[in-house]
């Protein structure tokens, strides 16, 4: 049985997002990166090792996940990477005081449909403050009935699909997992939908 705190496991989506970061490593030095729902923090750690200025975050209500972020940083010789408690859908002093961001990372954050709108309201808030930023996210297709399309429209966001083969992540071994079932991983980049005339 998996731990009820999902953030204590390296999910296949994290491996795929880390591969995307590695494929784009030359563009990362100096970039300001925030990983949300970081848990074990594989994507954020890769970004930091590639020269990005990274902040890791997970829910302030999940202290074990926040400790997992800190442990990953220490194991990867990144003791100065900040770890923040940010809860999706909640405007907190930590969220309000975040420095400017270029890239937001989220691997498999679209896991529980009840959280989808809270995630996107947080992303919208961050992108409004940082209009040129992007949200790079990977997710596992778990149900044909789950979609964020209406929520993207509601929050004036757009998504661009990123084919896995475009960064060498379509190999069976890369996103394989010991969990039962097939693992269909997808990647998209979410940004503000530009209004007419801009």
């Amino acid at each position: 049985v998996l731990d009820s705190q999902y953030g204590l496991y390296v999910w296949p989506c994290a491996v795929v997002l880390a591969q995307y970061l590695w494929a784009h490593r030359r563009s990362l030095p100096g970039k300001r990166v925030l990983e949300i729902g970081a848990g074990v923090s594989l994507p954020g750690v890769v970004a930091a090792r590639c020269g990005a200025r990274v902040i890791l975050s997970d829910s302030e209500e999940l202290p074990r996940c926040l400790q997992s972020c800190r442990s990953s940083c220490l194991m990867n010789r990144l003791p100065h990477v900040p770890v923040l408690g940010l809860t999706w859908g909640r405007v907190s002093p930590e969220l309000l005081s975040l420095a400017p961001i270029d890239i937001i990372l989220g691997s498999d954050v679209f896991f529980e449909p009840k959280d989808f709108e809270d995630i996107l309201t947080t992303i919208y808030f961050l992108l409004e403050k940082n209009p040129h930023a992007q949200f790079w996210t990977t997710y596992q297709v778990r149900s044909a009935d789950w979609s964020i399309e209406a929520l993207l429209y509601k929050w004036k966001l757009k998504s661009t699909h990123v084919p896995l083969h475009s960064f060498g992540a379509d190999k069976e071994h890369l996103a394989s997992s010991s969990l039962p079932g097939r693992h269909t991983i997808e990647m998209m980049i979410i940004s503000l939908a530009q209004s007419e005339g801009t």
Side-chain angles (χ1 to χ4, degrees):
V1 176
L2 289 175
D3 192 294
S4 61
Q5 294 190 13
Y6 308 127
L8 304 177
Y9 185 86
V10 179
W11 294 89
C13 286
V15 178
V16 172
L17 187 54
Q19 173 75 11
Y20 186 79
L21 288 156
W22 181 249
H24 293 85
R25 62 190 175 276
R26 287 178 184 82
S27 68
L28 292 175
K31 287 281 195 292
R32 299 160 303 189
V33 174
L34 169 69
E35 185 175 2
I36 64 166
V40 179
S41 315
L42 177 62
V45 164
V46 170
R49 299 292 295 173
C50 290
R53 295 183 298 177
V54 174
I55 298 170
L56 299 175
S57 72
D58 212 312
S59 173
E60 59 196 327
E61 298 166 1
L62 299 175
R64 288 178 65 201
C65 290
L66 292 169
Q67 185 53 47
S68 179
C69 293
R70 291 183 193 97
S71 296
S72 291
C73 290
L74 292 175
M75 285 187 279
N76 287 281
R77 297 183 301 283
L78 297 166
H80 303 298
V81 170
V83 176
L84 296 179
L86 294 179
T87 301
W88 302 327
R90 184 180 299 163
V91 178
S92 64
E94 291 79 12
L95 183 67
L96 291 170
S97 64
L98 275 175
I101 296 167
D102 299 305
I103 301 165
I104 307 159
L105 302 175
S107 68
D108 218 359
V109 294
F110 294 108
F111 187 89
E112 295 278 2
K114 67 178 177 53
D115 295 330
F116 290 1
E117 186 153 27
D118 284 343
I119 294 164
L120 289 175
T121 58
T122 299
I123 295 302
Y124 177 77
F125 176 85
L126 291 167
L127 293 178
E128 275 282 289
K129 280 183 65 175
N130 305 276
H132 301 293
Q134 296 180 327
F135 177 37
W136 297 358
T137 185
T138 50
Y139 62 97
Q140 185 171 327
V141 179
R142 293 185 170 88
S143 169
D145 297 331
W146 296 0
S147 174
I148 63 167
E149 192 171 333
L151 291 171
L152 290 172
Y153 181 79
K154 176 180 176 179
W155 288 100
K156 299 177 179 61
L157 300 169
K158 66 177 180 180
S159 69
T160 304
H161 179 259
V162 180
L164 281 102
H165 68 82
S166 69
F167 58 99
D170 57 339
K171 313 289 188 285
E172 185 64 35
H173 73 280
L174 185 67
S176 64
S177 167
S178 59
L179 293 175
R182 295 180 51 105
H183 305 287
T184 305
I185 309 295
E186 300 286 344
M187 177 165 179
M188 64 181 160
I189 294 176
I190 294 176
S191 56
L192 288 177
Q194 301 300 314
S195 58
E196 295 300 316
T198 60

